Amino acid sequence: MTTTSMVQGANIQIAATVVRAELVWKQAGDGLDADASALLLTQERRVRDDNDLVFYNQPRHASGTVRHLGKHDDGDSVTDTVEVELGALEPDIEQISLCASLDGGTFGELSGLRLRLLDAQSGVELALFEMAATSETAFIAGELYRRGTGWKFRAVGQGYASGLAGLATDFGISVAEEPEPEPAAVSEPAATRPPQMQPQSEDSLPVDMRKRLDLRKEKVAVCLTKHGAQGVSARVVLVLDASGSMSSLYRDGVVADVVERMAAVAAQLEDDGTMQAWAFATESTQLPDLRIGELPTWLQTHVPAGRGPRFERLVKHRGFFGRRGREEMQDIGWGNEEQKVIAQVRAYVKENPAAVPTLVLFFSDGGVYNDVQIERELRSAADEPLFWQFVGLGQADYGVLERFDTLTGRRVDNTGFFAVDDIAKVSDEELYDRLLSQFPSWLTAARAAAILPA
């Protein structure tokens, strides 16, 4: 049997009834040591209780169907193994998340990191998933999940900067934490409080940022004129992928640069220079509106350079089954649930109607797998005054997003998609041309279909 070499987001059918998941890495000279673990999850992607975590301090599930078999060191590589009896799992367990964690360093410091999935009875390797990592201290390497009467495996490869404690907490594991001391109350006379500030104008931006904004607005205007949409107005909504695999793009300032470049689109199209924004991972959240004149503050608050996305809370001295540390935990999770944020944006537009159409600028690095739910949302949205422009950041699996232009059965084509290997190397002219090339044709089609006023 030929081994299936997997890429992030890919999935395969599993015929074996008992499988072994081997986390493998090259022996590190500095003593870094990773640990494999497994979470037994229900249909709601939550554990039933703390016993549904199997790891080094809790090596056998009460049902006996999931077991942590421990480590093997052959002198060159280290292997940590979890075994799962798929055929004997309790009926309410819909998914096994195969996880990895690391203390005292990051997975980016380990070489040769991979997950091997084997038929435990025959020893045949079913899948091999080689993972890339940077600053993560915990990983969802892959997941086994029910599909009909059988099981499938998906290569996930998405991480946390919060260790096993943060990862497990996100799926419902109770983790005791020490309360942080409350800051001493400081009374402040009402007369000394600053007055409510009015939104700042573009003129208040730092000189360099204002110059970039002005130049980019001109390029946006030229692009719209080129495509027959001169002088058009629109509400602009920004959607940012904040899943674990995006961490390096936030840390390296790529996302902050994307936001600044999209601010020019909003500044040109929006009458009030304000852009709504969402972030999504396993869950989604609406961020405070981005007012163009307050761009530096907004960026510093939500996507500061050199750090991950700030949709987190800091947890100090978290205790977890005998290990203690300092972690950050993402409140919105690690995964890719695009359909949830699409539904939220649709609801927002319905509840807040505007006299102008809405342009949604949706950035994702892929790993799309909820194709059916996403397609359902976007098909339903075809009768709404929204155009969805999806931008892929890399070469990952974008699923239905990149196939949508070929799908029939919609009153109008309400989506666009393109992907770039490195968006930082794409010129403003090229980026805006690709970003706005389909929006004008949608405006024409939507007017003809009476989705927009003529």
Side-chain angles (χ1 to χ4, degrees):
M1 180 176 178
T2 303
T3 297
T4 301
S5 184
M6 312 269 306
V7 297
Q8 188 180 45
N11 63 79
I12 59 171
Q13 193 78 34
I14 299 297
T17 57
V18 183
V19 295
R20 286 184 178 174
E22 295 186 347
L23 180 71
V24 186
W25 65 94
K26 291 287 186 182
Q27 181 66 271
D30 53 7
L32 288 179
D33 190 31
D35 295 294
S37 57
L39 287 161
L40 288 76
L41 306 177
T42 64
Q43 187 174 13
E44 289 74 33
R45 295 176 64 88
R46 305 282 288 180
V47 298
R48 297 165 300 184
D49 55 43
D50 291 359
N51 294 319
D52 282 343
L53 169 66
V54 174
F55 72 124
Y56 51 87
N57 271 356
Q58 193 165 274
R60 184 180 179 87
H61 190 259
S63 66
T65 55
V66 183
R67 299 174 290 277
H68 180 248
L69 303 184
K71 291 189 174 74
H72 171 71
D73 183 351
D74 65 8
D76 177 52
S77 297
V78 181
T79 301
D80 198 8
T81 304
V82 171
E83 187 170 88
V84 182
E85 293 186 36
L86 296 173
L89 283 168
E90 296 155 289
D92 56 340
I93 297 301
E94 293 287 329
Q95 178 180 315
I96 305 293
S97 283
L98 303 170
C99 310
S101 58
L102 184 67
D103 276 353
T106 67
F107 277 103
E109 298 173 67
L110 293 181
S111 62
L113 184 65
R114 58 196 185 275
L115 182 72
R116 298 176 67 225
L117 192 70
L118 298 93
D119 183 329
Q121 296 173 331
S122 67
V124 170
E125 186 178 77
L126 305 174
L128 174 64
F129 177 36
E130 297 181 352
M131 294 175 284
T134 54
S135 61
E136 299 90 347
T137 55
F139 247 90
I140 303 293
E143 55 192 22
L144 296 157
Y145 59 100
R146 291 188 192 270
R147 183 63 79 228
T149 58
W151 286 84
K152 299 185 77 173
F153 169 75
R154 178 183 294 115
V156 178
Q158 296 184 350
Y160 284 76
S162 54
L164 182 58
L167 185 156
T169 303
D170 211 35
F171 289 96
I173 296 288
S174 300
V175 179
E177 62 179 84
E178 296 177 357
E180 297 186 37
E182 294 292 329
V186 179
S187 60
E188 182 182 358
T192 66
R193 292 185 180 131
Q196 185 69 31
M197 300 295 291
Q198 295 297 317
Q200 297 175 338
S201 69
E202 294 175 15
D203 292 339
S204 65
L205 293 172
V207 174
D208 288 349
M209 183 176 282
R210 188 174 70 248
K211 288 181 178 178
R212 290 196 298 270
L213 179 69
D214 289 341
L215 289 172
R216 286 167 172 166
K217 285 168 61 178
E218 291 178 8
K219 293 171 183 176
V220 171
V222 168
C223 178
L224 289 169
T225 300
K226 171 184 172 181
H227 293 286
Q230 182 176 6
V232 71
S233 295
R235 170 169 52 190
V236 179
V237 172
L238 179 66
V239 179
L240 298 173
D241 187 344
S243 60
S245 59
M246 286 283 293
S247 296
S248 63
L249 296 181
Y250 280 89
R251 186 187 62 248
D252 296 342
V254 174
V255 175
D257 184 59
V258 164
V259 173
E260 184 178 339
R261 296 168 86 177
M262 294 308 103
V265 178
Q268 181 63 33
L269 291 175
E270 289 268 15
D271 291 336
D272 62 355
T274 299
M275 180 165 57
Q276 283 72 52
W278 268 261
F280 78 94
T282 305
E283 303 299 333
S284 56
T285 184
Q286 184 175 5
L287 303 174
D289 288 354
L290 195 170
R291 297 178 176 87
I292 307 303
E294 301 167 3
L295 180 58
T297 302
W298 197 95
L299 289 172
Q300 181 58 37
T301 302
H302 299 293
V303 286
R307 296 186 56 180
R310 291 288 296 276
F311 321 121
E312 307 172 326
R313 65 174 181 265
L314 186 64
V315 181
K316 297 180 179 178
H317 306 300
R318 178 181 291 281
F320 186 75
F321 294 101
R323 293 194 178 187
R324 309 184 68 80
R326 175 184 175 92
E327 294 97 17
E328 287 186 349
M329 182 178 69
Q330 281 200 343
D331 290 330
I332 61 174
W334 59 270
N336 294 82
E337 300 284 345
E338 291 83 0
Q339 74 280 2
K340 294 180 181 179
V341 71
I342 291 171
Q344 281 194 12
V345 172
R346 291 181 62 200
Y348 174 86
V349 170
K350 183 177 181 179
E351 294 164 7
N352 299 273
V356 296
T358 298
L359 171 62
V360 183
L361 305 176
F362 195 114
F363 290 84
S364 168
D365 72 338
V368 176
Y369 59 89
N370 290 300
D371 285 13
V372 174
Q373 299 96 317
I374 295 169
E375 180 176 339
R376 184 183 302 120
E377 287 288 344
L378 291 175
R379 281 190 181 278
S380 299
D383 292 327
E384 299 167 353
L386 298 90
F387 182 76
W388 302 81
Q389 179 61 58
F390 294 94
V391 183
L393 303 174
Q395 294 180 318
D397 179 12
Y398 297 104
V400 70
L401 300 184
E402 61 182 326
R403 300 195 302 270
F404 226 85
D405 278 344
T406 66
L407 297 180
T408 59
R410 293 171 289 161
R411 287 177 66 192
V412 295
D413 181 357
N414 59 332
T415 64
F417 174 86
F418 68 92
V420 294
D421 292 342
D422 186 351
I423 196 168
K425 294 181 179 179
V426 178
S427 69
D428 288 336
E429 291 86 353
E430 180 185 351
L431 178 61
Y432 294 140
D433 190 66
R434 300 184 72 178
L435 194 76
L436 300 169
S437 62
Q438 292 182 259
F439 178 56
S441 59
W442 170 80
L443 290 173
T444 301
R447 292 184 184 116
I451 296 170
L452 298 176

